[in-house]
Amino acid sequence: MSQEKQARIFLVVVDETEEMSVALHYAARRARNSGGRVALLHVIPPGELQQWGAIEELMKQEQREEAEQLLQRLAKEVVDISGTMPTLYIREGQASEQLMKLIQEEPSISILVLAAGTGRGGPGPLINYVVGQMSGSLRIPVTVVPGSLSDRQLDAIT
């Protein structure tokens, strides 16, 4: 009895940074070229209006709708590049915490793809957290892509 090889899943954390699209395109190209798939994670930050329950619920609902619209738009990009529909995850909480939880909960996730920031702020807080604090406890490899790569450069390395 032969075991079917499971497709590699490239996880991309979706946020508002410019370099996120570089990570997204890198992951989609790698998925296309290796027969893999892409997963997208968007984390909605925790609310700060605990005493205003109804207002906070409305804000959470709006944030979730915006997250769903963003993921649908990005999913179309992934399909255009990789040919397959990505798996979509929306979580609430701290991005680093939710990322680690998802990686633990989903054994199918094979590789985490992040893009380094291009500004003076360094690579970014999520990369600092993953590569620094969590590097010894991750069960999957992390690919950090320079956030300044062009589509042509991405094609060349994928």
Side-chain angles (χ1 to χ4, degrees):
M1 187 182 341
S2 67
Q3 282 189 325
E4 218 175 285
K5 186 179 175 188
Q6 188 175 3
R8 241 186 246 164
I9 307 252
F10 297 87
L11 176 63
V12 177
V13 179
V14 173
D15 57 22
E16 302 298 324
T17 62
E18 264 182 55
E19 61 271 8
M20 183 278 304
S21 67
V22 174
L24 180 80
H25 288 217
Y26 175 87
R29 284 174 169 88
R30 289 280 291 127
R32 178 191 65 210
N33 293 336
S34 68
R37 298 201 51 194
V38 175
L40 304 176
L41 168 65
H42 180 72
V43 180
I44 299 169
E48 297 174 10
L49 302 171
Q50 306 295 328
Q51 70 273 23
W52 305 99
I55 294 172
E56 184 177 15
E57 277 307 307
L58 183 60
M59 289 176 68
K60 277 185 180 180
Q61 184 178 347
E62 288 175 4
Q63 287 178 315
R64 183 157 188 95
E65 288 171 7
E66 288 172 11
E68 289 172 0
Q69 290 172 1
L70 173 63
L71 287 178
Q72 289 302 321
R73 183 175 53 78
L74 295 175
K76 183 181 179 329
E77 283 185 45
V78 170
V79 170
D80 289 347
I81 295 169
S82 73
T84 59
M85 181 69 179
T87 304
L88 307 176
Y89 298 98
I90 297 176
R91 300 276 179 109
E92 290 183 26
Q94 293 298 115
S96 54
E97 191 176 292
Q98 293 303 316
L99 171 62
M100 292 305 148
K101 275 185 172 179
L102 179 61
I103 290 170
Q104 290 171 351
E105 294 168 6
E106 292 294 334
S108 62
I109 295 173
S110 315
I111 298 169
L112 173 61
V113 178
L114 300 171
T118 58
R120 290 184 172 186
L126 195 54
I127 290 177
N128 287 336
Y129 178 77
V130 169
V131 175
Q133 291 178 305
M134 297 309 296
S135 61
S137 60
L138 282 174
R139 65 167 185 77
I140 60 172
V142 178
T143 299
V144 178
V145 183
S148 60
L149 293 180
S150 68
D151 282 349
R152 204 169 108 229
Q153 290 170 312
L154 286 171
D155 281 338
I157 63 172
T158 56

